[in-house]
Amino acid sequence: MNKSIRILIWLGVAILGALALGTIALHRGEEINAMWLVVAAFCSYALGYRFYSNFISVKVLALDAHRATPAERLEDGRDFVPTNKWVVFGHHFAAIAGPGPLVGPVLAAQFGYLPGTLWILAGAVFGGCVQDFVILLFSVRRDGKSLTEIAREEIGVVGGFVAYVAVIAIIVILLGAGALIVVNALKSSPWGVFTIAMTIPIALLMGLYLRRLRPGKVLEVSVLGFILVMLAIWGGQWVSQNPVVAPWFTLTASTLALVIIIYGFFASALPVWLLLAPRDYLSTFVKLGTIGLLALGIIALRPTLHMPPLTRFIDGTGPIFAGSIFPFAFITIACGAISGFHSLISSGTTPKLIRREPETRMVGYGAMMAESMVAIMATIAACVLQPGTYFAINSPAGVVGQSPEAASATISSWGFPVTAAGMQALAQAVGEQTLFNRTGGAPAFAVGMAHIFSSSLGGQAVMAIWYHFAIMFEALFILTVLDAGTRVGRFMVQDALGHVWKPLGRTSWYPSILATSALIVAAWGSFLWQGVKDPLGGINSLWPLFGICNQLLATVALCLATTIIIKMGKARYLPVTLVPLTWLVAVTFTASWQKMFNPHPRIGFLAHARQLAASAAPSHEISHLIFNDRLDATVTGVLVCMVALILLESAFLWISVLSGRMQARVKESPFVATRFASEEQG
């Protein structure tokens, strides 16, 4: 294509993106079309990938197409396998796209659609995509080593230890928060509970089918799994309407929490081929299919955003979670813009599959763009709802009132009209008993998604089917994260305990499997139980804690990336990682301080503990809540102090290298020429 034509095309993309962003940022008064968000996202990602990621590839990282990757040099047919770039892209996206990009933007919509949208776009292009890309490349150049191993080699012992503790912390809190989202979505919902319960025997059947009955018949098991999932959704409708069977599947939040904790233990202890692998596969094609359908629905319907660009809750008095836009919008959105969890995947399985070094750009930078697009769609799903409906679904009873009438009156007094009768009609339309106080983001996302789907595919008659399909999609994927996350946590605990007593480190020794599975499940189960018993719905405290841990891990990853760039002699390009690192330090350290010491009981953990101690008669439940608040404050404080240590250690190293007092020496694997370049030329 002629260079002048290419310039004109990219200039057109830039102008269209600027127009879309201007419309989103400056439009006031009338409601706007959701397509403006889609256009702004598409143009931002296209420009970011074409120009910014290319600048990083050429100038900062100097990707070398002639350098053999560990997948080629260490190929063993099991862990190190040169793999087609599109297959690696799909694997990487499936691994990083957890509940965060679906839930965080929905919760942050309480500030309006504008803050979340702008942060998702800017945070991904200049932060999240950059982190995933550079960490993936640095791991590829170090034989696919993990983040903790690279930190220990490049920064020091403290860096490696902090990274290890941060990984364990984020896994535990991520699983606790994810399980709480499932509980809040499924409590008092016989349809949802039945559908999700049926996915367990479906996954087991798929595992046995591939292992024993028809080995290698992936297409057959895919068709079988799809048919059975659709039957489970249809069967859930029958269950919810049957007066005899419905009570069996109408579970309280406490009962659901215990069931999920027990499930997590067995999912970790069972052989991987029996439940984990088939559930991963089942959730992956359901997830990709659903995201594709949602994108088509938004394009076909072009729904209107009813949520204003900014709400009254930017002052920090929000009902879903308390706290002002800075810093709480950023730690709430978390994964949709930048996620420390991704650095674990970028330095885990993925670098062992990369066939050519230049492919790290598409896989690392590109897959994070895809996840960020999911976050934009989640924002749209939340903001197409009437604001009164959105707040009725997401606000906890402890804030708006226990009865539908009280909740409706409270929310209407904020300037967002809603009626108990209207909410009851909506609940009936989606096949639920009630939609009030369904905190956690998942039900709101499902209602918005059902609204988009039913308006473009089937009408109001099938809204209940679409709602429970969305709930199944979210819960199925979150439970998959519980499966895999619990197992990863078990491996890490076994590795640590193996230094104390070698048999505990053997991943095949069943007593060790049972003991370490119980430890990990008990850890995230305690956070889940804390959230279930919290009168404010749990999300008010648990999701910000998850966001802080996630962003602190991203801080560690960007700190490591900055260290390596300096040691590579590329200090002039420091802003690429140092700017997002500085922003994350400001956000996470401010949020941590607020969550620990803010005097408002709905924000500060310790303030809430003091309020409980002063206003209520002593009881076991109150004592438990006070202990949980103090535990959350302690966890936050310890993690912040540890990350501060790694920042100080890194800064000392940066100064030493830049001043010439220390010789810069990166610990990369020796250069080996790839055979693939000559094969392609031939």
Side-chain angles (χ1 to χ4, degrees), residues 413-448:
S413 71
W414 298 336
F416 304 120
V418 66
T419 64
M423 287 298 297
Q424 183 59 35
L426 180 61
Q428 291 176 351
V430 299
E432 289 292 314
Q433 297 177 8
T434 181
L435 286 174
F436 279 102
N437 316 133
R438 304 300 286 270
T439 60
F445 175 83
V447 172

PDB file of all heavy atoms in Angstrom, residues 413-448:
ATOM      1  N   SER A 413     -34.368   9.102  46.351  1.00  0.00           N
ATOM      2  CA  SER A 413     -33.984  10.365  46.992  1.00  0.00           C
ATOM      3  C   SER A 413     -32.633  10.868  46.496  1.00  0.00           C
ATOM      4  O   SER A 413     -32.315  12.043  46.659  1.00  0.00           O
ATOM      5  CB  SER A 413     -33.951  10.196  48.515  1.00  0.00           C
ATOM      6  OG  SER A 413     -32.847   9.396  48.923  1.00  0.00           O
ATOM      7  N   TRP A 414     -31.830   9.989  45.907  1.00  0.00           N
ATOM      8  CA  TRP A 414     -30.543  10.396  45.334  1.00  0.00           C
ATOM      9  C   TRP A 414     -30.707  11.046  43.960  1.00  0.00           C
ATOM     10  O   TRP A 414     -29.729  11.526  43.385  1.00  0.00           O
ATOM     11  CB  TRP A 414     -29.622   9.195  45.180  1.00  0.00           C
ATOM     12  CG  TRP A 414     -29.254   8.509  46.465  1.00  0.00           C
ATOM     13  CD1 TRP A 414     -29.244   9.054  47.719  1.00  0.00           C
ATOM     14  CD2 TRP A 414     -28.828   7.153  46.615  1.00  0.00           C
ATOM     15  NE1 TRP A 414     -28.848   8.123  48.645  1.00  0.00           N
ATOM     16  CE2 TRP A 414     -28.579   6.939  47.998  1.00  0.00           C
ATOM     17  CE3 TRP A 414     -28.637   6.083  45.737  1.00  0.00           C
ATOM     18  CZ2 TRP A 414     -28.158   5.718  48.505  1.00  0.00           C
ATOM     19  CZ3 TRP A 414     -28.212   4.868  46.238  1.00  0.00           C
ATOM     20  CH2 TRP A 414     -27.971   4.685  47.613  1.00  0.00           C
ATOM     21  N   GLY A 415     -31.923  10.994  43.421  1.00  0.00           N
ATOM     22  CA  GLY A 415     -32.155  11.531  42.091  1.00  0.00           C
ATOM     23  C   GLY A 415     -32.170  10.481  41.008  1.00  0.00           C
ATOM     24  O   GLY A 415     -32.144  10.801  39.814  1.00  0.00           O
ATOM     25  N   PHE A 416     -32.255   9.193  41.411  1.00  0.00           N
ATOM     26  CA  PHE A 416     -32.304   8.083  40.454  1.00  0.00           C
ATOM     27  C   PHE A 416     -33.596   7.306  40.684  1.00  0.00           C
ATOM     28  O   PHE A 416     -33.628   6.354  41.467  1.00  0.00           O
ATOM     29  CB  PHE A 416     -31.089   7.167  40.620  1.00  0.00           C
ATOM     30  CG  PHE A 416     -29.772   7.873  40.505  1.00  0.00           C
ATOM     31  CD1 PHE A 416     -28.863   7.863  41.557  1.00  0.00           C
ATOM     32  CD2 PHE A 416     -29.438   8.559  39.345  1.00  0.00           C
ATOM     33  CE1 PHE A 416     -27.643   8.513  41.450  1.00  0.00           C
ATOM     34  CE2 PHE A 416     -28.215   9.210  39.236  1.00  0.00           C
ATOM     35  CZ  PHE A 416     -27.318   9.192  40.289  1.00  0.00           C
ATOM     36  N   PRO A 417     -34.687   7.696  40.019  1.00  0.00           N
ATOM     37  CA  PRO A 417     -35.993   7.105  40.305  1.00  0.00           C
ATOM     38  C   PRO A 417     -36.028   5.593  40.072  1.00  0.00           C
ATOM     39  O   PRO A 417     -35.503   5.089  39.072  1.00  0.00           O
ATOM     40  CB  PRO A 417     -36.931   7.822  39.331  1.00  0.00           C
ATOM     41  CG  PRO A 417     -36.201   9.074  38.941  1.00  0.00           C
ATOM     42  CD  PRO A 417     -34.751   8.726  38.980  1.00  0.00           C
ATOM     43  N   VAL A 418     -36.646   4.879  41.005  1.00  0.00           N
ATOM     44  CA  VAL A 418     -36.855   3.441  40.880  1.00  0.00           C
ATOM     45  C   VAL A 418     -38.000   3.066  41.803  1.00  0.00           C
ATOM     46  O   VAL A 418     -38.206   3.714  42.842  1.00  0.00           O
ATOM     47  CB  VAL A 418     -35.577   2.652  41.243  1.00  0.00           C
ATOM     48  CG1 VAL A 418     -35.214   2.811  42.709  1.00  0.00           C
ATOM     49  CG2 VAL A 418     -35.710   1.182  40.888  1.00  0.00           C
ATOM     50  N   THR A 419     -38.777   2.079  41.421  1.00  0.00           N
ATOM     51  CA  THR A 419     -39.905   1.641  42.246  1.00  0.00           C
ATOM     52  C   THR A 419     -39.764   0.166  42.579  1.00  0.00           C
ATOM     53  O   THR A 419     -39.143  -0.605  41.812  1.00  0.00           O
ATOM     54  CB  THR A 419     -41.243   1.866  41.527  1.00  0.00           C
ATOM     55  OG1 THR A 419     -41.286   1.036  40.351  1.00  0.00           O
ATOM     56  CG2 THR A 419     -41.405   3.330  41.128  1.00  0.00           C
ATOM     57  N   ALA A 420     -40.335  -0.220  43.715  1.00  0.00           N
ATOM     58  CA  ALA A 420     -40.316  -1.629  44.100  1.00  0.00           C
ATOM     59  C   ALA A 420     -41.062  -2.471  43.077  1.00  0.00           C
ATOM     60  O   ALA A 420     -40.647  -3.587  42.747  1.00  0.00           O
ATOM     61  CB  ALA A 420     -40.924  -1.794  45.489  1.00  0.00           C
ATOM     62  N   ALA A 421     -42.191  -1.934  42.556  1.00  0.00           N
ATOM     63  CA  ALA A 421     -42.978  -2.674  41.565  1.00  0.00           C
ATOM     64  C   ALA A 421     -42.191  -2.864  40.275  1.00  0.00           C
ATOM     65  O   ALA A 421     -42.211  -3.944  39.663  1.00  0.00           O
ATOM     66  CB  ALA A 421     -44.287  -1.935  41.282  1.00  0.00           C
ATOM     67  N   GLY A 422     -41.470  -1.819  39.845  1.00  0.00           N
ATOM     68  CA  GLY A 422     -40.668  -1.931  38.633  1.00  0.00           C
ATOM     69  C   GLY A 422     -39.548  -2.942  38.776  1.00  0.00           C
ATOM     70  O   GLY A 422     -39.269  -3.711  37.850  1.00  0.00           O
ATOM     71  N   MET A 423     -38.897  -2.965  39.940  1.00  0.00           N
ATOM     72  CA  MET A 423     -37.826  -3.933  40.179  1.00  0.00           C
ATOM     73  C   MET A 423     -38.376  -5.352  40.243  1.00  0.00           C
ATOM     74  O   MET A 423     -37.728  -6.305  39.795  1.00  0.00           O
ATOM     75  CB  MET A 423     -37.086  -3.591  41.469  1.00  0.00           C
ATOM     76  CG  MET A 423     -36.190  -2.368  41.366  1.00  0.00           C
ATOM     77  SD  MET A 423     -34.861  -2.558  40.142  1.00  0.00           S
ATOM     78  CE  MET A 423     -33.946  -3.930  40.857  1.00  0.00           C
ATOM     79  N   GLN A 424     -39.588  -5.493  40.814  1.00  0.00           N
ATOM     80  CA  GLN A 424     -40.195  -6.821  40.877  1.00  0.00           C
ATOM     81  C   GLN A 424     -40.540  -7.328  39.480  1.00  0.00           C
ATOM     82  O   GLN A 424     -40.340  -8.503  39.164  1.00  0.00           O
ATOM     83  CB  GLN A 424     -41.457  -6.781  41.745  1.00  0.00           C
ATOM     84  CG  GLN A 424     -42.142  -8.136  41.932  1.00  0.00           C
ATOM     85  CD  GLN A 424     -41.241  -9.176  42.562  1.00  0.00           C
ATOM     86  OE1 GLN A 424     -40.404  -8.856  43.415  1.00  0.00           O
ATOM     87  NE2 GLN A 424     -41.377 -10.428  42.156  1.00  0.00           N
ATOM     88  N   ALA A 425     -41.040  -6.418  38.626  1.00  0.00           N
ATOM     89  CA  ALA A 425     -41.352  -6.806  37.248  1.00  0.00           C
ATOM     90  C   ALA A 425     -40.080  -7.213  36.503  1.00  0.00           C
ATOM     91  O   ALA A 425     -40.086  -8.193  35.736  1.00  0.00           O
ATOM     92  CB  ALA A 425     -42.044  -5.646  36.525  1.00  0.00           C
ATOM     93  N   LEU A 426     -38.980  -6.486  36.735  1.00  0.00           N
ATOM     94  CA  LEU A 426     -37.707  -6.836  36.094  1.00  0.00           C
ATOM     95  C   LEU A 426     -37.211  -8.186  36.594  1.00  0.00           C
ATOM     96  O   LEU A 426     -36.721  -9.007  35.802  1.00  0.00           O
ATOM     97  CB  LEU A 426     -36.666  -5.750  36.368  1.00  0.00           C
ATOM     98  CG  LEU A 426     -35.274  -5.962  35.762  1.00  0.00           C
ATOM     99  CD1 LEU A 426     -35.350  -6.041  34.243  1.00  0.00           C
ATOM    100  CD2 LEU A 426     -34.321  -4.846  36.185  1.00  0.00           C
ATOM    101  N   ALA A 427     -37.354  -8.421  37.903  1.00  0.00           N
ATOM    102  CA  ALA A 427     -36.935  -9.711  38.462  1.00  0.00           C
ATOM    103  C   ALA A 427     -37.722 -10.854  37.834  1.00  0.00           C
ATOM    104  O   ALA A 427     -37.160 -11.907  37.493  1.00  0.00           O
ATOM    105  CB  ALA A 427     -37.108  -9.708  39.976  1.00  0.00           C
ATOM    106  N   GLN A 428     -39.025 -10.658  37.678  1.00  0.00           N
ATOM    107  CA  GLN A 428     -39.849 -11.700  37.050  1.00  0.00           C
ATOM    108  C   GLN A 428     -39.450 -11.914  35.597  1.00  0.00           C
ATOM    109  O   GLN A 428     -39.440 -13.045  35.102  1.00  0.00           O
ATOM    110  CB  GLN A 428     -41.326 -11.312  37.154  1.00  0.00           C
ATOM    111  CG  GLN A 428     -41.877 -11.369  38.574  1.00  0.00           C
ATOM    112  CD  GLN A 428     -43.309 -10.899  38.673  1.00  0.00           C
ATOM    113  OE1 GLN A 428     -43.874 -10.356  37.709  1.00  0.00           O
ATOM    114  NE2 GLN A 428     -43.933 -11.098  39.828  1.00  0.00           N
ATOM    115  N   ALA A 429     -39.096 -10.820  34.916  1.00  0.00           N
ATOM    116  CA  ALA A 429     -38.711 -10.930  33.502  1.00  0.00           C
ATOM    117  C   ALA A 429     -37.451 -11.757  33.323  1.00  0.00           C
ATOM    118  O   ALA A 429     -37.293 -12.456  32.314  1.00  0.00           O
ATOM    119  CB  ALA A 429     -38.515  -9.538  32.896  1.00  0.00           C
ATOM    120  N   VAL A 430     -36.528 -11.689  34.302  1.00  0.00           N
ATOM    121  CA  VAL A 430     -35.288 -12.452  34.188  1.00  0.00           C
ATOM    122  C   VAL A 430     -35.338 -13.754  34.992  1.00  0.00           C
ATOM    123  O   VAL A 430     -34.329 -14.457  35.112  1.00  0.00           O
ATOM    124  CB  VAL A 430     -34.065 -11.608  34.623  1.00  0.00           C
ATOM    125  CG1 VAL A 430     -33.924 -10.389  33.737  1.00  0.00           C
ATOM    126  CG2 VAL A 430     -34.140 -11.214  36.089  1.00  0.00           C
ATOM    127  N   GLY A 431     -36.504 -14.076  35.570  1.00  0.00           N
ATOM    128  CA  GLY A 431     -36.663 -15.347  36.258  1.00  0.00           C
ATOM    129  C   GLY A 431     -36.070 -15.397  37.650  1.00  0.00           C
ATOM    130  O   GLY A 431     -35.690 -16.465  38.127  1.00  0.00           O
ATOM    131  N   GLU A 432     -35.996 -14.245  38.327  1.00  0.00           N
ATOM    132  CA  GLU A 432     -35.459 -14.191  39.684  1.00  0.00           C
ATOM    133  C   GLU A 432     -36.544 -13.782  40.673  1.00  0.00           C
ATOM    134  O   GLU A 432     -37.544 -13.166  40.298  1.00  0.00           O
ATOM    135  CB  GLU A 432     -34.292 -13.192  39.755  1.00  0.00           C
ATOM    136  CG  GLU A 432     -33.037 -13.662  39.050  1.00  0.00           C
ATOM    137  CD  GLU A 432     -32.393 -14.846  39.734  1.00  0.00           C
ATOM    138  OE1 GLU A 432     -32.240 -14.842  40.960  1.00  0.00           O
ATOM    139  OE2 GLU A 432     -32.048 -15.814  39.027  1.00  0.00           O
ATOM    140  N   GLN A 433     -36.327 -14.123  41.956  1.00  0.00           N
ATOM    141  CA  GLN A 433     -37.275 -13.725  42.987  1.00  0.00           C
ATOM    142  C   GLN A 433     -37.121 -12.245  43.321  1.00  0.00           C
ATOM    143  O   GLN A 433     -38.093 -11.550  43.581  1.00  0.00           O
ATOM    144  CB  GLN A 433     -37.076 -14.570  44.243  1.00  0.00           C
ATOM    145  CG  GLN A 433     -37.343 -16.056  44.015  1.00  0.00           C
ATOM    146  CD  GLN A 433     -37.075 -16.890  45.259  1.00  0.00           C
ATOM    147  OE1 GLN A 433     -36.831 -16.362  46.339  1.00  0.00           O
ATOM    148  NE2 GLN A 433     -37.118 -18.196  45.099  1.00  0.00           N
ATOM    149  N   THR A 434     -35.909 -11.761  43.340  1.00  0.00           N
ATOM    150  CA  THR A 434     -35.622 -10.350  43.599  1.00  0.00           C
ATOM    151  C   THR A 434     -34.276  -9.986  42.988  1.00  0.00           C
ATOM    152  O   THR A 434     -33.420 -10.852  42.800  1.00  0.00           O
ATOM    153  CB  THR A 434     -35.602 -10.052  45.111  1.00  0.00           C
ATOM    154  OG1 THR A 434     -35.346  -8.642  45.303  1.00  0.00           O
ATOM    155  CG2 THR A 434     -34.513 -10.838  45.819  1.00  0.00           C
ATOM    156  N   LEU A 435     -34.127  -8.700  42.662  1.00  0.00           N
ATOM    157  CA  LEU A 435     -32.843  -8.198  42.167  1.00  0.00           C
ATOM    158  C   LEU A 435     -32.265  -7.138  43.093  1.00  0.00           C
ATOM    159  O   LEU A 435     -31.221  -6.561  42.795  1.00  0.00           O
ATOM    160  CB  LEU A 435     -33.008  -7.614  40.753  1.00  0.00           C
ATOM    161  CG  LEU A 435     -33.181  -8.633  39.618  1.00  0.00           C
ATOM    162  CD1 LEU A 435     -33.486  -7.933  38.310  1.00  0.00           C
ATOM    163  CD2 LEU A 435     -31.939  -9.509  39.477  1.00  0.00           C
ATOM    164  N   PHE A 436     -32.929  -6.880  44.209  1.00  0.00           N
ATOM    165  CA  PHE A 436     -32.388  -5.932  45.175  1.00  0.00           C
ATOM    166  C   PHE A 436     -31.186  -6.534  45.900  1.00  0.00           C
ATOM    167  O   PHE A 436     -31.134  -7.729  46.174  1.00  0.00           O
ATOM    168  CB  PHE A 436     -33.454  -5.546  46.211  1.00  0.00           C
ATOM    169  CG  PHE A 436     -34.421  -4.498  45.748  1.00  0.00           C
ATOM    170  CD1 PHE A 436     -35.697  -4.847  45.335  1.00  0.00           C
ATOM    171  CD2 PHE A 436     -34.052  -3.160  45.716  1.00  0.00           C
ATOM    172  CE1 PHE A 436     -36.606  -3.883  44.914  1.00  0.00           C
ATOM    173  CE2 PHE A 436     -34.951  -2.188  45.286  1.00  0.00           C
ATOM    174  CZ  PHE A 436     -36.231  -2.548  44.887  1.00  0.00           C
ATOM    175  N   ASN A 437     -30.204  -5.655  46.191  1.00  0.00           N
ATOM    176  CA  ASN A 437     -29.060  -6.023  47.033  1.00  0.00           C
ATOM    177  C   ASN A 437     -28.255  -7.195  46.474  1.00  0.00           C
ATOM    178  O   ASN A 437     -27.730  -8.005  47.240  1.00  0.00           O
ATOM    179  CB  ASN A 437     -29.513  -6.354  48.459  1.00  0.00           C
ATOM    180  CG  ASN A 437     -30.528  -5.375  49.016  1.00  0.00           C
ATOM    181  OD1 ASN A 437     -31.536  -5.773  49.583  1.00  0.00           O
ATOM    182  ND2 ASN A 437     -30.286  -4.093  48.847  1.00  0.00           N
ATOM    183  N   ARG A 438     -28.119  -7.289  45.157  1.00  0.00           N
ATOM    184  CA  ARG A 438     -27.320  -8.361  44.554  1.00  0.00           C
ATOM    185  C   ARG A 438     -25.927  -7.811  44.274  1.00  0.00           C
ATOM    186  O   ARG A 438     -25.506  -7.622  43.139  1.00  0.00           O
ATOM    187  CB  ARG A 438     -27.977  -8.884  43.274  1.00  0.00           C
ATOM    188  CG  ARG A 438     -29.401  -9.367  43.439  1.00  0.00           C
ATOM    189  CD  ARG A 438     -29.529 -10.518  44.428  1.00  0.00           C
ATOM    190  NE  ARG A 438     -29.038 -11.745  43.864  1.00  0.00           N
ATOM    191  CZ  ARG A 438     -29.798 -12.606  43.167  1.00  0.00           C
ATOM    192  NH1 ARG A 438     -31.070 -12.364  42.979  1.00  0.00           N
ATOM    193  NH2 ARG A 438     -29.271 -13.705  42.691  1.00  0.00           N
ATOM    194  N   THR A 439     -25.211  -7.516  45.356  1.00  0.00           N
ATOM    195  CA  THR A 439     -23.904  -6.874  45.244  1.00  0.00           C
ATOM    196  C   THR A 439     -22.894  -7.800  44.572  1.00  0.00           C
ATOM    197  O   THR A 439     -23.046  -9.015  44.579  1.00  0.00           O
ATOM    198  CB  THR A 439     -23.379  -6.476  46.628  1.00  0.00           C
ATOM    199  OG1 THR A 439     -23.268  -7.657  47.433  1.00  0.00           O
ATOM    200  CG2 THR A 439     -24.308  -5.489  47.302  1.00  0.00           C
ATOM    201  N   GLY A 440     -21.856  -7.184  44.010  1.00  0.00           N
ATOM    202  CA  GLY A 440     -20.783  -7.968  43.408  1.00  0.00           C
ATOM    203  C   GLY A 440     -20.572  -7.711  41.940  1.00  0.00           C
ATOM    204  O   GLY A 440     -19.577  -8.126  41.359  1.00  0.00           O
ATOM    205  N   GLY A 441     -21.530  -7.022  41.283  1.00  0.00           N
ATOM    206  CA  GLY A 441     -21.338  -6.663  39.887  1.00  0.00           C
ATOM    207  C   GLY A 441     -21.873  -7.669  38.885  1.00  0.00           C
ATOM    208  O   GLY A 441     -22.333  -7.293  37.806  1.00  0.00           O
ATOM    209  N   ALA A 442     -21.833  -8.967  39.211  1.00  0.00           N
ATOM    210  CA  ALA A 442     -22.231  -9.997  38.246  1.00  0.00           C
ATOM    211  C   ALA A 442     -23.711  -9.897  37.856  1.00  0.00           C
ATOM    212  O   ALA A 442     -24.036  -9.957  36.663  1.00  0.00           O
ATOM    213  CB  ALA A 442     -21.905 -11.383  38.798  1.00  0.00           C
ATOM    214  N   PRO A 443     -24.652  -9.768  38.823  1.00  0.00           N
ATOM    215  CA  PRO A 443     -26.060  -9.657  38.418  1.00  0.00           C
ATOM    216  C   PRO A 443     -26.332  -8.421  37.560  1.00  0.00           C
ATOM    217  O   PRO A 443     -27.107  -8.493  36.599  1.00  0.00           O
ATOM    218  CB  PRO A 443     -26.811  -9.600  39.756  1.00  0.00           C
ATOM    219  CG  PRO A 443     -25.908 -10.280  40.732  1.00  0.00           C
ATOM    220  CD  PRO A 443     -24.532  -9.890  40.293  1.00  0.00           C
ATOM    221  N   ALA A 444     -25.710  -7.286  37.897  1.00  0.00           N
ATOM    222  CA  ALA A 444     -25.918  -6.079  37.092  1.00  0.00           C
ATOM    223  C   ALA A 444     -25.402  -6.281  35.674  1.00  0.00           C
ATOM    224  O   ALA A 444     -26.048  -5.872  34.701  1.00  0.00           O
ATOM    225  CB  ALA A 444     -25.226  -4.881  37.749  1.00  0.00           C
ATOM    226  N   PHE A 445     -24.230  -6.888  35.544  1.00  0.00           N
ATOM    227  CA  PHE A 445     -23.697  -7.189  34.216  1.00  0.00           C
ATOM    228  C   PHE A 445     -24.660  -8.103  33.457  1.00  0.00           C
ATOM    229  O   PHE A 445     -24.918  -7.895  32.265  1.00  0.00           O
ATOM    230  CB  PHE A 445     -22.334  -7.852  34.340  1.00  0.00           C
ATOM    231  CG  PHE A 445     -21.754  -8.317  33.031  1.00  0.00           C
ATOM    232  CD1 PHE A 445     -21.070  -7.439  32.205  1.00  0.00           C
ATOM    233  CD2 PHE A 445     -21.903  -9.632  32.613  1.00  0.00           C
ATOM    234  CE1 PHE A 445     -20.546  -7.855  30.994  1.00  0.00           C
ATOM    235  CE2 PHE A 445     -21.381 -10.064  31.405  1.00  0.00           C
ATOM    236  CZ  PHE A 445     -20.691  -9.171  30.591  1.00  0.00           C
ATOM    237  N   ALA A 446     -25.202  -9.117  34.145  1.00  0.00           N
ATOM    238  CA  ALA A 446     -26.102 -10.073  33.493  1.00  0.00           C
ATOM    239  C   ALA A 446     -27.401  -9.403  33.049  1.00  0.00           C
ATOM    240  O   ALA A 446     -27.917  -9.693  31.966  1.00  0.00           O
ATOM    241  CB  ALA A 446     -26.404 -11.231  34.444  1.00  0.00           C
ATOM    242  N   VAL A 447     -27.949  -8.495  33.869  1.00  0.00           N
ATOM    243  CA  VAL A 447     -29.174  -7.784  33.480  1.00  0.00           C
ATOM    244  C   VAL A 447     -28.902  -6.905  32.263  1.00  0.00           C
ATOM    245  O   VAL A 447     -29.690  -6.874  31.313  1.00  0.00           O
ATOM    246  CB  VAL A 447     -29.713  -6.941  34.654  1.00  0.00           C
ATOM    247  CG1 VAL A 447     -30.869  -6.051  34.181  1.00  0.00           C
ATOM    248  CG2 VAL A 447     -30.191  -7.835  35.784  1.00  0.00           C
ATOM    249  N   GLY A 448     -27.773  -6.170  32.281  1.00  0.00           N
ATOM    250  CA  GLY A 448     -27.429  -5.341  31.134  1.00  0.00           C
ATOM    251  C   GLY A 448     -27.211  -6.167  29.884  1.00  0.00           C
ATOM    252  O   GLY A 448     -27.653  -5.802  28.793  1.00  0.00           O
TER     253      GLY A 448
END
